[in-house]
Amino acid sequence: MYYVSTRNKTLQYTPAEAIAQGLSREGGLFVPQVIPRLPGSALMMLKDMSYQQRAVYVMGMYLDHFTSFELSRAASAAYGPDKFDTKAVAPVRKVDDTTYCLELWHGPTCAFKDMALQMLPHLLSLSLKKNNEKKTACILVATSGDTGKAALEGFKDVDQTKILVFYPRNGVSEIQQLQMATQEGDNVGVSAVIGNFDDAQTGVKTLFSDEELREELAQRGYFLSSANSINWGRVLPQIVYYISAYCDLLRDEAIQPGEAINICVPTGNFGNILAAFYAKQMGLPVNKLICASNSNNVLTDFIQTGVYDRNRQFYNTVSPSMDILISSNLERLLYLLSEEDDQLVASYMEELNRVGRYQVSDSILQKLQREFAAGYADETATKAAIAAMKQGENYLIDTHTAVAFKVLADYRKETKDETVTVVASTASPFKFGDAVLDALGVRHLWTGTALLDQLAEETGVEAPVPLATLKEKKVRFTSYTDKSEMKTVVNDFLR
Ligand SMILES: *Cc1c(COP(=O)(O)O)cnc(C)c1O
């Protein structure tokens, strides 16, 4: 199987090339040339397998240059008991007879980014070997919080890689800062940047386009690479858990073989819900994909009208990982819905870049609305959903997951659709403890790691071990840099 660019499908790449390169040269994203179909018997077979075995099977369909031995080793390393606090890896929890919650936050950093970032480093390291690349990949990340820690944990001590993370000095929560400052591993580095997230991100982009730095590093045996969510190696591991969730429902006889489900996903960059769409294209029985947004509801408008318009107010919300106005992975969906019209996709992306807006054709809009429903939840509704879920079902959910539950409730009210629905739960409530406590009506909040104890006391739910043990961890990284000095930090890191 080969991969092509969404903006030029005549160029072909092997899976290893697509993963190592990340982004196509003309700016397009890599997509599989054909989407593999699940054989008729696959789901019944997979339902009795472990998560790791399901991952090997599904990923193998897209990576036919990789052996199943290689993928098995990667899956046990990525999703082993030393990394995930449940054998199920991505367990499905019943909420009521037609609602199930797919918990994607049992990994080392307690957010769904772990599902992909535990796997990507292994896929990258295997790809480098296949490409006969002798240099070491240095992953540079600018983070507003969750991605940086998940990438550090994923790349920690992985062969032929080093990772350096920049975060805004005053732009992340205390817990997030502590998570990164205490990072273990011999190939990792962390630096705060004086400024905000944009300063850190602009700084990293400048480093990527610095030809002089590139040459210098090549002489020392390094090349720069990214762990950004547009890498196919991050989308692919996410397809696995939707198929896995369906298999769990089959195994537990919550659905009949062949019965279609709906999937509801709290969405930002459109990576997570795109993976559900791929699972459906592979033949997983799915009716509607429900795209849930917060007040930054650019995707709700897009799905309802066919107009994507980023020229709007930006809100900082209690679900910060969804505070996004440009959803990069939407480009892959446009490619698929336009029947692989790479020129059309290129023209939409050019308009987005130039004027911040584009309108899709009627035929794309029709298909979009056949596949997707969309809605959003504002801050008040998000908090109300947390309180209602705790009171009604004694189930503690985080702010992002709450957005999804609220949008699902609205969708059901409007459509009377009673299809069994899987809601993707993307973070542990302890990661966003202050907003969760606020939603539960607690007024005097403790600070730092004490917030974890407060939420535990208040709810009787235990904090996940990786967060609870933060206060015992040694702080390793305290340095910060001016944004003009980030290049020096890279050079020192790669001495
Ligand atoms: C990244 C993230 C999201 C958004 O996922 P996308 O793939 O960007 O749509 C939702 N919730 C949490 C907790 C996240 O970290």
Side-chain angles (χ1 to χ4, degrees), residues 147-173:
T147 305
K149 177 61 182 179
L152 284 164
E153 269 303 317
F155 280 94
K156 162 179 93 176
D157 295 330
V158 170
D159 268 6
Q160 220 184 330
T161 70
K162 295 194 92 173
I163 175 163
L164 179 59
V165 170
F166 292 100
Y167 69 87
R169 193 178 177 201
N170 297 316
V172 301
S173 76

Side-chain angles (χ1 to χ4, degrees), residues 268-269 295-299 308-315 322-328 352 356:
N269 213 12
S295 300
N296 296 294
N297 57 359
V298 59
L299 286 167
Y308 193 97
D309 191 351
R310 63 153 301 188
N311 305 305
R312 60 176 69 215
Q313 162 111 40
F314 176 84
Y315 298 98
M322 293 155 64
D323 292 345
I324 287 177
L325 291 181
I326 297 193
S327 301
S328 318
L352 180 63

Side-chain angles (χ1 to χ4, degrees), residues 111-113 146-147 229 234 238 265-273 321-322 324 329 398 400 426-427 432:
F112 101 96
K113 303 282 190 296
D146 283 348
T147 305
S229 75
R234 274 189 66 175
Q238 299 181 160
V265 185
T267 298
N269 213 12
F270 210 77
N272 201 359
I273 196 167
S321 303
M322 293 155 64
I324 287 177
N329 266 303
D398 93 294
H400 304 75
T426 50
F432 302 94

Side-chain angles (χ1 to χ4, degrees), residues 339-358:
E339 280 159 28
E340 307 179 358
D341 189 339
D342 52 356
Q343 294 316 300
L344 187 64
V345 173
S347 75
Y348 291 154
M349 292 303 118
E350 190 275 325
E351 280 181 69
L352 180 63
N353 202 17
R354 189 164 39 84
V355 293
R357 181 187 189 278
Y358 61 87

Side-chain angles (χ1 to χ4, degrees), residues 363-433:
S363 101
I364 293 180
L365 180 60
Q366 262 175 25
K367 282 184 224 156
L368 185 67
Q369 292 180 339
R370 199 162 60 221
E371 304 281 353
F372 291 85
Y376 74 99
D378 65 17
E379 300 290 270
T380 312
T382 304
K383 287 182 180 172
I386 294 174
M389 188 61 86
K390 183 71 179 78
Q391 267 158 22
E393 311 295 336
N394 194 25
Y395 186 29
L396 191 63
I397 55 173
D398 93 294
T399 47
H400 304 75
T401 308
V403 166
F405 274 107
K406 162 66 177 157
V407 169
L408 174 61
D410 289 348
Y411 167 81
R412 282 177 165 165
K413 211 177 282 169
E414 193 184 308
T415 61
K416 310 276 181 259
D417 182 352
E418 283 303 318
T419 307
V420 168
T421 301
V422 168
V423 175
S425 175
T426 50
S428 158
F430 285 85
K431 264 209 121 155
F432 302 94

